[in-house]
Amino acid sequence: MTDTLGATLRREYEGGATIADLKSHHGLTYHRTRTLLLAAGTTLRKNGPVAVAPAARSMVIAYEAGMTIPEVAERFGYTYSMMRRKLLAAGITPRRKGRRVL
């Protein structure tokens, strides 16, 4: 399980998530998250997240169809903060918190 979790953390981290994002999303401590990333062979960044690639069109469509950012993040396997950054990079106008289009 730890190898799988380490690989998942590495993929998300290399996708732009921060250690803080990962620890919150996976229910780990900062130290445990960092240890798992290093064990998975991850080269840690010096400062902050890397530039985020825009969200795929299917993610934008899901958000614009009414899903909340947490729902889109869960559906596509990202943390909330990473999905928010991806959607913003794709040019969406965020709704007010808790607002859903029906």
Side-chain angles (χ1 to χ4, degrees), residues 32-56:
R32 181 71 177 142
T33 303
R34 187 176 187 281
T35 300
L36 287 168
L37 285 168
L38 291 172
T42 307
T43 301
L44 300 179
R45 297 184 292 270
K46 299 275 186 217
N47 293 313
V50 295
V52 176

Side-chain angles (χ1 to χ4, degrees), residues 56-69:
R57 185 73 190 135
S58 58
M59 296 171 185
V60 172
I61 289 170
Y63 180 76
E64 290 176 344
M67 292 179 78
T68 63
I69 294 175

Side-chain angles (χ1 to χ4, degrees), residues 2-3 5-10 14 34-42:
T2 302
D3 290 339
L5 179 57
T8 299
L9 293 172
R10 180 178 180 168
E14 290 175 349
R34 187 176 187 281
T35 300
L36 287 168
L37 285 168
L38 291 172
T42 307

Side-chain angles (χ1 to χ4, degrees), residues 8-96:
T8 299
L9 293 172
R10 180 178 180 168
R11 180 177 41 81
E12 292 176 15
Y13 182 82
E14 290 175 349
T18 64
I19 293 175
D21 292 337
L22 297 173
K23 80 173 190 72
S24 297
H25 181 71
H26 294 281
L28 303 168
T29 64
Y30 183 92
H31 183 282
R32 181 71 177 142
T33 303
R34 187 176 187 281
T35 300
L36 287 168
L37 285 168
L38 291 172
T42 307
T43 301
L44 300 179
R45 297 184 292 270
K46 299 275 186 217
N47 293 313
V50 295
V52 176
R57 185 73 190 135
S58 58
M59 296 171 185
V60 172
I61 289 170
Y63 180 76
E64 290 176 344
M67 292 179 78
T68 63
I69 294 175
E71 290 170 339
V72 178
E74 183 175 334
R75 181 178 191 180
F76 290 96
Y78 287 94
T79 63
Y80 165 83
S81 58
M82 175 54 65
M83 181 53 61
R84 184 174 188 281
R85 287 193 299 260
K86 290 178 89 50
L87 288 168
L88 290 172
I92 63 105
T93 301
R95 298 185 294 270
R96 289 194 331 234

